[in-house]
Amino acid sequence: MSIALAFSRAQVGIDAPLVRVEAHITGGLPRFSIVGLPETAVRESKDRVRSALMNARFEFPSRRITVNLAPADLPKEGGRFDLPIAIGILAATGQIPSAKLGEHELVGELGLAGDLRSVHGVLPAAMQLRATDRTLIAPEDDAREAALVSDIAVLPATHLLEVCAHLGDGAPLSAVKSAEMATGLQKYPDLADVVDQFQARRAVEVAAAGGHNLLLIGPPGAGKTMLAVRLAGIIPPMSESQALASAAIRSVSNERFDPREWGQRPFRSPHHSASAVALVGGGSRARPGEISLAHNGILFLDELPEFDRRVLEVLREPMESNRIHISRAANRVEYPAAFQLVAAMNPCPCGWLGDPSGRCRCTVDRIRRYRSRVSGPLLDRIDLHVEVPPLDPKVLGAESRARGETSAEVLTRVVRARERQLGRTNRLNRELTPAEIDRDCKLRPSGRELLRRASEKLGFSARAWHRILKVARTLADLEEENEIHTRHLSEAIGYRSLDRRANDSSRK
């Protein structure tokens, strides 16, 4: 047989389109050609495959070898096609039988001695395998990751010879079982560790219940970072589909995915020196950025005004669409980015505006310039603006002080509130459409009048109007109320008016 067909998977974002690896052996002068839009790493497969076959004691044909990676217009990158290319050549030359090739998909990079090495993006390939009846053969280091996908068979291998024996009459490979995965839940810091700050704790609970974006404003050491970190501990666990989506993004990134982190919500905290590409993603291979790595989790931006303003502006579109599009000359990649933004900032450059000690010496113009680093359109997309005041030394020095509720106690209420939301619209309140807001966030006449007067006084935009209603709906869900009452609406308005009050005070 002079031609053989093997199956593999490419990587385009978090998609893994099928690739048919066709190996054809003909007479003529020895030549090894790979066609089908391969990039440099794929073209270099010729040397890796030749050495691997020879060191595994196979015959490398001294004839014309043509390997076609179809479809031809799909860019191919990385060393993931080494294994299917080698198997295709062996099958085309009759050194291994080809009867089982159609039952398997192969992914893996070959070492010069024939050993199999890990590659990026095996999990998306395994997810796409669900729609077929084929079995995935992958390097042992990647098989545990691929086995996170239920209802598929994943065969780990460490060497080319093991794969050949499995496809031939030798020892078959043993499948990895999902039950063997280590999936221990991460222990998040307890919310009870936060001293005092009852209003901020309340806002964190509301943010967790409705998935709302949160801005914490307060002096250094008030507990802003502590609150942000503990938010992850009061958000319900991810569903299997959410966990797979988040793991798939990590799988195709430069960080890779650790199966021991399965089911844990991402918590990303980039430094304020991060570039726009670091947040959005990009590069020659269009890898995901921080906002995609935070998909189904939290993106925490500490010292918000210290970020470059142009960097912050890239958050605006994905905060509305929950997706990010990365366009390059050769292709266009789309990554999901349904993250929950939590930001923290000081009230002024020195951080002590309004402190009773009078230590703040910031001028009005300096405060205004500091706050203007965060644009109005971005602030408008943040549902909850919460003041975190400095802690009273008497509270800190007290030998015995009342502890707040634990994360487990708060999580119970958050779970019930989310169940009400999902049962009503199958989405969180943060994601309600205008039609669903009109239907599920109806107000009494007194409530409509209250919101109208607040909007006239504080200058709310239409977006802010809708976000106030979404937060009020979440407050009602936390109390298991079907109707939004005035107290819910008043609290939701209070979360939006803090930044306006702060700006007014800085002008005085």
Side-chain angles (χ1 to χ4, degrees), residues 203-204 206-217 319-320 322 339-343 376-387 421 428-432 437 460-475 488-499:
V204 167
V206 174
H212 302 291
N213 299 320
L214 173 65
L215 173 63
L216 301 169
I217 306 173
M319 286 175 69
E320 296 288 341
N322 292 336
F339 61 92
Q340 183 175 357
L341 176 64
V342 179
L378 178 60
L379 286 174
D380 205 36
R381 288 170 166 82
I382 301 179
D383 307 317
L384 308 172
H385 306 171
V386 182
E387 183 177 10
Q421 297 167 47
L428 295 180
N429 289 334
R430 179 190 65 185
E431 304 165 341
L432 291 177
I437 292 174
F460 292 145
S461 66
R463 179 188 292 113
W465 180 290
H466 279 171
R467 289 181 179 269
I468 288 172
L469 291 176
K470 293 177 184 179
V471 173
R473 179 68 266 173
T474 299
L475 292 167
H488 304 139
L489 188 60
S490 299
E491 185 175 352
I493 293 172
Y495 289 133
R496 295 290 308 193
S497 60
L498 176 64
D499 58 326

Side-chain angles (χ1 to χ4, degrees), residues 11 36 45 76 106 153 161 168 173 210 252 275 309 316 319 339 349 352 360 363-365 444 462 500:
Q11 178 191 324
S45 293
K76 321 298 189 308
L106 304 109
L161 290 174
L173 297 171
V252 302
S275 66
R309 179 162 179 157
R316 288 161 54 179
M319 286 175 69
F339 61 92
W352 301 107
C360 178
T363 64
V364 173
D365 288 340
R444 292 180 177 180
R500 178 57 58 90

Side-chain angles (χ1 to χ4, degrees), residues 23-49:
H24 187 209
I25 313 296
T26 60
L29 294 176
R31 184 179 178 183
F32 192 170
S33 301
I34 299 178
V35 297
L37 211 58
E39 54 94 49
T40 302
V42 181
R43 292 195 297 270
E44 292 173 347
S45 293
K46 295 183 291 185
D47 298 319
R48 293 192 296 271
V49 169

Side-chain angles (χ1 to χ4, degrees), residues 343-377:
M345 62 178 287
N346 296 325
C348 67
C350 76
W352 301 107
L353 179 66
D355 189 81
S357 65
R359 70 178 79 180
C360 178
R361 294 294 185 267
C362 298
T363 64
V364 173
D365 288 340
R366 190 181 178 197
I367 295 173
R368 186 178 295 113
R369 286 195 302 269
Y370 175 76
R371 292 178 176 172
S372 65
R373 296 177 187 175
V374 185
S375 70

